[in-house]
Every structure is written in structure tokens, then in C-alpha cells.
Amino acid sequence: MDDQIRNLIQNHIDNNDVCLFMKGTPDAPQCGFSMAVSNMLKILEINFKGVNVLEDQKIREGIKTFSDWPTIPQLYIKKEFIGGCDIVKEMYENGELKKILETKGINFKK
């Protein structure tokens, strides 16, 4: 991965408290796993940045190298890599995701 892509990915993570690298957009997910994570964040009423990896093959491959995680979607909260769909789903179901968001000071929509 070149520095330009690494920096672009890092900027998305640095400038968004909740950043989801996904296939498609939050309003039009193009993969069931991306839709699932996006919907969990919407249900929790969290503002988040969706980065559509389908728009740029370099980002799509780069994020996998960046996080050393083989699949998309990938969720970052306050610059910390949380995981992919299965991990986020488990955390959502057991209440851990909401707890992490609260602990990190993420504001829920009112």
C-alpha cells in the first residue's frame, strides 16, 4: 500500500469518531454484511462516516492491509479498530457496542 492510500485511510479514521469502511453507502449498502453493521449503528442512533470501498480499489485493498483484517466492513471508533460484521454483531447483541460508544464519549442522536 502506498503512502497516499495509507494517509487517506488514516485521515478518514482520524477525522470521524465513528468510521465504517463498507461496500456501498449507509443509505445504499451493497453487501449484506455492510448493511448489517450500518443498520446496527442507525438503530443505536450514532452519527457515522461510511466510506464506500467500492469507489476505489486501492482503498478496498488498502484497508485490509491497514487493519490486518481480511474482510469488509470494518468499524473504527475513536481511531480504534473494533472489527468486522460478526464481531460488531456480537458486541451489539450483548450490549458491549453501546457501552464502548458511551465510554468513548460518542454522542447518540436525540
Side-chain angles (χ1 to χ4, degrees):
M1 170 179 28
D2 65 30
D3 286 346
Q4 183 181 0
I5 294 300
R6 179 177 297 284
N7 291 339
L8 183 62
I9 290 169
Q10 189 68 56
N11 283 339
H12 280 303
I13 293 167
D14 289 348
N15 294 318
N16 299 284
D17 286 345
V18 182
C19 187
L20 178 63
F21 290 86
M22 62 184 294
K23 293 179 181 175
T25 65
D27 293 329
Q30 295 181 353
C31 134
F33 300 111
S34 291
M35 179 186 294
V37 175
S38 178
N39 285 343
M40 287 179 249
L41 294 172
K42 288 177 182 177
I43 290 167
L44 290 172
E45 298 187 311
I46 295 298
N47 285 319
F48 67 97
K49 166 77 173 180
V51 178
N52 183 358
V53 300
L54 298 178
E55 290 180 345
D56 189 332
Q57 184 65 26
K58 290 180 182 174
I59 290 179
R60 184 176 181 176
E61 293 308 315
I63 189 63
K64 295 174 188 179
T65 303
F66 184 91
S67 62
D68 196 24
W69 192 259
T71 59
I72 294 167
Q74 294 186 14
L75 179 64
Y76 287 80
I77 300 174
K78 290 274 188 161
K79 303 179 187 176
E80 178 186 350
F81 177 58
I82 302 301
C85 184
D86 290 346
I87 291 171
V88 173
K89 183 177 181 206
E90 184 177 316
M91 292 172 70
Y92 174 80
E93 290 172 350
N94 69 21
E96 195 177 342
L97 182 60
K98 186 173 184 183
K99 190 174 177 183
I100 286 175
L101 291 161
E102 291 169 343
T103 300
K104 291 187 174 280
I106 303 297
N107 294 324
F108 294 79
K109 295 178 194 168
K110 302 237 181 326

